[in-house]
Amino acid sequence: AQKITQTQPGMFVQEKEAVTLDCTYDTSDPSYGLFWYKQPSSGEMIFLIYQGSYDQQNATEGRYSLNFQKARKSANLVISASQLGDSAMYFCAMREAKRGAGNMLTFGGGTRLMVKP
Amino acid sequence: DVKVTQSSRYLVKRTGEKVFLECVQDMDHENMFWYRQDPGLGLRLIYFSYDVKMKEKGDIPEGYSVSREKKERFSLILESASTNQTSMYLCASSLPGGLSEQPQHFGDGTRLSIL
């Protein structure tokens, strides 16, 4: 079974609108962390936001917020007020405590977001 | 800022060649990682290292080996390159420690083509 599933291979959003990128995960580990990364066409991976499994509040970082629904095992990324520079691939990733101190991540297949002017 | 530098952005090699991909980080991170990225599959972990000369297999180690002789440098080796190893390769580094919000920091990637 896929550990991280991103069901939207590609999506469009109008500039200045909000957009939600879906991520569901599968783990039996009670301790885990969820990350979102952005990959522009230039190729570098940019860390956006983190949510720990025991965090009581949804994480926020500027225009990025994470809609964390633990019972549904979903960790959707919400980008408010989209900008043209938000056009990129977005990856959801999970770190499980049971994998040890190596800080290994499991990634989803990614969502390509395109912002229309 | 953490800097992870991969030696080549683009590389073209022939089937059967031995290929070296080099990665250097400047933040004294204990952990270093090699991933390959393929469309629709996201990033998949090939190998990681948690200390000099220490390594562990990731999810897809077959056909690859790694070397970490110095803390700042982590090399990925394709012993005998094959066409199915054509891909984007990404190196990353991070601090150690169990579950934490410390992210992995990535290089810009090497797009490798095996002809």
Side-chain angles (χ1 to χ4, degrees), chain A residues 12-18 80-87 114-117:
Chain A
F12 287 93
V13 64
Q14 198 68 42
E15 194 179 8
K16 299 192 177 91
E17 290 186 353
S80 64
S82 298
Q83 302 172 356
L84 296 177
D86 293 335
S87 294
M114 290 150 282
V115 181
K116 295 188 288 186

Side-chain angles (χ1 to χ4, degrees), chain A residues 29-68:
Chain A
D29 194 337
S31 297
Y32 55 89
L34 296 154
F35 296 78
W36 276 92
Y37 282 85
K38 172 185 178 181
Q39 186 182 43
S41 56
S42 50
E44 77 270 29
M45 294 282 282
I46 303 166
F47 165 66
L48 295 178
I49 196 167
Y50 168 83
Q51 179 86 42
S53 59
Y54 294 119
D55 292 344
Q56 295 295 315
Q57 305 219 350
N58 286 342
T60 61
E61 283 289 345
R63 292 187 300 112
Y64 304 108
S65 61
L66 207 151
N67 183 1
F68 181 48

